[in-house]
Amino acid sequence: MRILIISDIHANLTAFETVLKDAEGEWDYVWCLGDVVGYGPDPNECVDLLRSLPHLCLAGNHDWAALGRLDVRTFNPDARFAVEWTQDTLTDENLAYLEALPTTFVIGSFTLTHGSPREPVWEYILEPIVAALNFPHFETPYCFVGHTHQPVIYQLVSDNGDTEALAPRYGARHNLGEYRQIINPGSVGQPRDSNPNAAYGILDTAEMYFEHRRIPYDIRRTQERMRSHGLPERLVTRLEHGW
Ligand code: ZN
């Protein structure tokens, strides 16, 4: 079975559609690691499109923010504005969909979560030491996470917790092999690794390989829709810089 692995769409329909077109015919099922909404101009369209696909989806912190589960007073003004706009825009049906998302899911050899196995909604795994601390918190050989918007593979290379970070090699097959791993496909709709192109991954569970992918999309189209909804300019411009 081939799985399209996506995360952090962040209501960016143009990026989401571009990823689906790029991966067309190459997958049987979708695993979405959360943050379907938040920041971008198309929350309903992105939830509708995801729901039209055979998929499972995890809850992210921005999905929770849209449900009013977080105290937005702790957000900076731009983020707060975007959260409130998203809350006002989402339909009741799509809010109910987000409401039902799990925070962790175990399927075969894989654990799926938005942030990290020990703090599914919140923790950012940005360094090997944080990945190392998370390996004892899941039982499967492999785990997929999103949340940081940075594609990477962490692998546990010794019994005493030594963990190394592998930079993504786009379009190349990474054989999963013997080491336990925490894999981040990167973000579809708001990359933060100084590369503005949409990121995603393909997992083949028969041949047991994972492939990071990157694809340019029409950023200006997304930016125009953000401006037409009055979303904060800082959130608009960051898309073209990938931060
Ligand atoms: Zn996110």
Side-chain angles (χ1 to χ4, degrees):
M1 185 132 152
R2 293 166 308 166
I3 317 286
L4 173 67
I5 301 191
I6 52 178
S7 191
D8 299 277
I9 298 166
H10 282 291
N12 186 338
L13 181 67
T14 306
F16 189 13
E17 287 178 334
T18 302
V19 162
L20 290 179
K21 192 152 183 270
D22 192 52
E24 200 172 353
E26 294 187 81
W27 53 269
D28 309 295
Y29 206 82
V30 178
W31 292 351
C32 176
L33 306 172
D35 278 5
V36 182
V37 303
Y39 295 129
D42 320 298
N44 285 308
E45 292 81 355
C46 287
V47 175
D48 289 342
L49 179 54
L50 182 62
R51 290 174 64 193
S52 76
L53 309 173
H55 79 285
L56 62 84
C57 184
L58 285 298
N61 52 315
H62 282 265
D63 304 315
W64 277 22
L67 295 168
R69 290 185 184 171
L70 313 185
D71 185 353
V72 293
R73 287 174 299 180
T74 62
F75 283 39
N76 70 53
D78 288 345
R80 190 201 296 195
F81 183 93
V83 166
E84 287 169 352
W85 180 84
T86 301
Q87 288 173 340
D88 293 344
T89 303
L90 277 166
T91 63
D92 288 347
E93 194 184 332
N94 285 334
L95 284 168
Y97 168 84
L98 296 176
E99 186 103 46
L101 298 179
T103 55
T104 307
F105 203 93
V106 177
I107 179 164
S109 301
F110 304 91
T111 298
L112 315 180
T113 191
H114 181 63
S116 78
R118 66 175 180 179
E119 284 287 348
V121 179
W122 300 110
E123 187 174 34
Y124 292 90
I125 305 182
L126 284 161
E127 293 169 52
I129 178 67
V130 181
L133 292 168
N134 268 284
F135 280 107
H137 291 266
F138 66 102
E139 288 174 8
T140 56
Y142 313 108
C143 177
F144 283 98
V145 299
H147 196 37
T148 65
H149 300 206
Q150 297 187 5
V152 67
I153 297 172
Y154 294 106
Q155 57 183 13
L156 180 65
V157 294
S158 81
D159 290 340
N160 50 25
D162 297 317
T163 300
E164 59 185 29
L166 306 179
R169 291 183 303 126
Y170 298 113
R173 291 181 179 190
H174 165 77
N175 291 314
L176 293 179
E178 61 186 300
Y179 297 126
R180 296 188 73 206
Q181 285 157 65
I182 297 173
I183 300 175
N184 190 323
S187 167
V188 170
Q190 196 202 69
R192 292 181 195 160
D193 58 344
S194 306
N195 176 347
N197 296 340
Y200 72 98
I202 297 282
L203 169 72
D204 189 316
T205 59
E207 302 204 20
M208 289 302 267
Y209 69 81
F210 175 78
E211 189 178 317
H212 275 114
R213 297 267 184 92
R214 221 62 200 255
I215 181 77
Y217 70 97
D218 189 348
I219 293 173
R220 244 180 263 168
R221 236 177 102 191
T222 301
Q223 291 177 317
E224 279 163 19
R225 282 202 307 286
M226 290 178 79
R227 289 192 177 106
S228 76
H229 293 306
L231 287 160
E233 189 60 25
R234 198 180 68 93
L235 299 180
V236 175
T237 50
R238 70 185 296 180
L239 290 179
E240 70 203 51
H241 303 293
W243 59 268

